[in-house]
Amino acid sequence: MQHLSDFASAQDVEDADDILFAHPIRTVTRLVCACGADHPCPEVRFALMVKGTTSGGTR
């Protein structure tokens, strides 16, 4: 069985510690559309664009 020292030097281990310190785990929240895609999905983007360009009045 090989030991860690066979693969990584002391400097490699120190560098790995620095990287892990600089890249901690964080919680990410995603909004998901009912269709399963990330929100806003293309259909929602289109609907929002249409709604945003109309004045709200009827033709």
Side-chain angles (χ1 to χ4, degrees):
M1 182 174 175
Q2 294 181 332
H3 297 283
L4 179 60
S5 61
D6 295 338
F7 295 108
S9 68
Q11 183 63 49
D12 291 335
V13 173
E14 185 177 326
D15 291 344
D17 286 339
D18 291 343
I19 290 168
L20 293 173
F21 178 78
H23 296 267
I25 296 172
R26 63 185 173 104
T27 301
V28 177
T29 303
R30 289 181 29 212
L31 297 176
V32 179
C33 190
C35 69
D38 287 340
H39 190 274
C41 69
E43 290 180 8
V44 170
R45 280 193 210 128
F46 176 76
L48 291 171
M49 181 184 67
V50 169
K51 297 284 283 185
T53 58
T54 59
S55 62
T58 59
R59 290 187 203 197

